[in-house]
Amino acid sequence: MAAKKRTRKVRVPFRQNRQSRRRSDDWTRQYHTDNDQLQDTQQHESVRAKGALSRKRTIRLAADDTVVADESLWRRGTVTAVHGLICYINDHEGRNWTCTVRRILRTLRIESRSPVTVGDRVWFSDHSASSDGQPVGVIERVDPRQSVLSRRDGRGRQHTICANADQLLIVTSAAQPKLKPHLIDRYLVAGHKGGLHPVVCVNKIDLTAEHEGIDPEDLLIYTQSSGPADECDPDDEAVREPITIGSVLTELRRIGYTCITTSAVTRAGLEELRAVLTGHISVLSGQSGVGKSTLLNALQPGLELRVADVSAESEKGKHTTTHARLLRLDGGGYVVDTPGIRAFDLWSVEAAELEALFPDFAAPLQHCRFKDCFHRDEEGCAVRAAVTRGAISRRRYLSYLKMFDEVAQRQP
Ligand code: GDP
Ligand code: ZN
């Protein structure tokens, strides 16, 4: 352990790569060495938020001006799993590292709950030389997060699931279990609410073709009452229109959603799925049994997905750890394997914002007579008029009503 040396302060401008905005808890940064056995005692640096006018930092140099901790040697990586104080990191070459977290970041954890979480893009120092070449390191810095996904536990507390996810892969199945369009709509709403770009994947299309001998797109899911939007009565048996897999996909594509059909058995659509996932951090969602784990294992053998064994029941278990982890796909891109699927439910959606989470309502709702129109039975509702003339799908509108009632009921 090096004895503490005399240091002096120097004011230097920020480096270019430091000028992006950070979260406030990223501002204070200091190197602690005693617990990490690093030899960077000689350089201490602290950065405080002072605004754009004084974009300078103070660094402390050792008397002999040597800089032992060289940031230019830090490596870039993405956190794929966190277990206590140990983080697993995937670097840009696809190599896996086991890292601890610099103590100051751990201290900040108390304030911000999770300064290092799955999905974080980090800088870490390579300590493999001091551990027989094992890929180990220390996380030195965490990049500002583009997004944070969290879930609420039974006691209403929020838990961070992962950072920087940008896509929601909604997996459904054509059969066993059969397609549930309303459930897709709920995931779409949750995706928008969470700032994730939603992609719909209908899996098991082999089942419809094999067992029913029909084009999967023609498979009837159910019928719904037709007629003017303001007379929509889901229980009305009189006039029924068929809802098929094809009609659901057509209306979703018309809204602008990417929809793909796959089969983990015949491998149909797998390359399309891979293309959709490449370059993104995608959250995998969808009800149990639709084939999420089978699909990803087919896409990339060796992933060892554990989605299947996390049932809704075990998730409720008191001692179940529900840590998310990132799975890296060949060709780039990660999939978040998380048992916290229910996080993408509607709990955080308010009735008044629901319309904004239906992109197909965006244009018509500008023309509703009342600014605070909820598009139910108000006069001069342009959304309902759009349903009547076919510009908005009736099925989507009924989905909206159902979700609206649900969230409105919850918020007295
Ligand atoms: P998960 O709960 O969404 O992860 O679903 P699983 O991956 O555990 O799959 C549930 C069941 O569906 C398993 O028995 C799989 O073998 C089966 N399965 C998954 N994908 C397909 C598919 O594309 N076609 C057919 N026929 N079966 C599938
Ligand atoms: Zn309206």
Side-chain angles (χ1 to χ4, degrees):
M1 193 80 215
K4 209 166 176 99
K5 293 178 182 170
R6 273 188 55 208
T7 59
R8 63 193 166 86
K9 286 182 178 178
V10 191
R11 296 281 287 166
V12 295
F14 270 102
R15 270 187 240 158
Q16 205 58 40
N17 68 0
R18 289 233 170 121
Q19 292 192 346
S20 60
R21 275 193 68 82
R22 293 153 186 278
R23 293 171 301 142
S24 56
D25 55 4
D26 282 329
W27 278 104
T28 310
R29 205 155 61 72
Q30 230 177 359
Y31 300 138
H32 283 246
T33 56
D34 45 356
N35 64 321
D36 292 300
Q37 299 152 336
L38 265 193
Q39 301 217 313
D40 57 0
T41 20
Q42 289 146 313
Q43 185 188 2
H44 285 268
E45 132 180 355
S46 62
V47 180
R48 270 168 294 134
K50 282 186 172 174
L53 287 177
S54 66
R55 283 284 171 112
K56 292 211 169 197
R57 62 194 175 120
T58 302
I59 62 168
R60 285 176 194 272
L61 295 177
D64 60 359
D65 278 357
T66 50
V67 180
V68 176
D70 188 349
E71 295 182 17
S72 69
L73 294 178
W74 287 357
R75 292 171 178 269
R76 296 286 281 143
T78 302
V79 178
T80 57
V82 180
H83 292 147
L85 295 174
I86 302 295
C87 295
Y88 298 93
I89 290 179
N90 196 244
D91 71 15
H92 286 183
E93 284 88 51
R95 209 149 90 95
N96 292 317
W97 294 75
T98 305
C99 292
T100 54
V101 182
R102 182 64 64 193
R103 188 208 257 173
I104 185 65
L105 292 176
R106 294 209 296 265
T107 309
L108 286 169
R109 178 172 222 148
I110 295 158
E111 290 157 34
S112 73
R113 282 190 147 262
S114 41
V116 183
T117 192
V118 168
D120 266 329
R121 299 201 170 87
V122 299
W123 295 87
F124 65 98
S125 48
D126 178 352
H127 291 236
S128 54
S130 55
S131 59
D132 297 336
Q134 295 295 313
V136 297
V138 176
I139 295 177
E140 306 284 355
R141 190 189 299 162
V142 182
D143 277 1
R145 292 169 184 159
Q146 305 301 309
S147 68
V148 176
L149 272 187
S150 55
R151 66 189 196 101
R152 197 179 53 165
D153 67 14
R155 284 190 266 169
R157 288 177 313 189
Q158 285 216 35
H159 296 271
T160 302
I161 296 174
C162 83
N164 298 323
D166 60 348
Q167 198 162 254
L168 180 64
L169 182 68
I170 303 166
V171 183
T172 62
S173 58
Q176 298 174 23
K178 73 177 189 175
L179 196 75
K180 296 183 183 61
H182 177 68
L183 194 58
I184 299 179
D185 291 333
R186 295 174 73 95
Y187 278 120
L188 291 171
V189 162
H192 289 303
K193 173 70 183 176
L196 300 172
H197 177 73
V199 173
V200 177
C201 170
V202 179
N203 188 36
K204 303 197 190 184
I205 50 163
D206 58 288
L207 286 182
T208 64
E210 267 178 29
H211 301 301
E212 322 244 353
I214 54 169
D215 188 323
E217 304 245 331
D218 293 335
L219 190 71
L220 182 72
I221 311 170
Y222 62 89
T223 57
Q224 76 178 11
S225 59
S226 55
D230 43 3
E231 291 169 18
C232 275
D233 176 1
D235 300 324
D236 179 14
E237 295 284 336
V239 199
R240 292 289 201 169
E241 61 178 329
I243 303 291
T244 62
I245 293 177
S247 70
V248 172
L249 293 184
T250 301
E251 74 194 20
L252 293 178
R253 284 177 178 136
R254 196 175 62 166
I255 299 166
Y257 293 117
T258 302
C259 302
I260 53 178
T261 54
T262 58
S263 166
V265 172
T266 68
R267 303 189 65 82
L270 288 194
E271 286 318 305
E272 247 178 306
L273 177 61
R274 186 188 302 280
V276 154
L277 298 175
T278 298
H280 296 279
I281 296 184
S282 305
V283 176
L284 190 63
S285 65
Q287 81 181 118
S288 165
V290 294
K292 294 181 293 296
S293 38
T294 313
L295 201 52
L296 287 186
N297 283 325
L299 199 63
Q300 187 156 341
L303 274 185
E304 296 163 33
L305 267 203
R306 54 124 195 233
V307 180
D309 48 65
V310 182
S311 67
E313 278 67 44
S314 72
E315 201 184 318
K316 286 178 202 144
K318 280 173 287 187
H319 304 294
T320 319
T321 47
T322 51
H323 298 298
R325 53 174 193 162
L326 286 194
L327 306 166
R328 187 175 197 275
L329 299 171
D330 291 343
Y334 295 91
V335 172
V336 186
D337 174 19
T338 168
I341 298 299
R342 290 180 305 168
F344 310 106
D345 214 338
L346 300 173
W347 63 266
S348 63
V349 176
E350 287 170 26
E353 73 176 325
L354 192 59
E355 59 173 29
L357 306 174
F358 277 74
D360 35 342
F361 290 14
L365 66 80
Q366 314 277 347
H367 304 290
C368 289
R369 187 178 305 163
F370 303 111
K371 276 267 167 289
D372 56 352
C373 185
F374 287 144
H375 325 300
R376 290 155 57 83
D377 41 23
E378 295 92 338
E379 264 180 52
C381 174
V383 167
R384 246 179 22 250
V387 176
T388 303
R389 67 168 192 276
I392 291 176
S393 119
R394 180 184 321 284
R395 193 198 63 72
R396 288 274 295 169
Y397 178 65
L398 289 173
S399 240
Y400 167 82
L401 290 181
K402 199 168 164 182
M403 279 186 243
F404 184 91
D405 286 347
E406 188 182 318
V407 296
Q409 216 167 40
R410 204 186 44 211
Q411 295 155 1

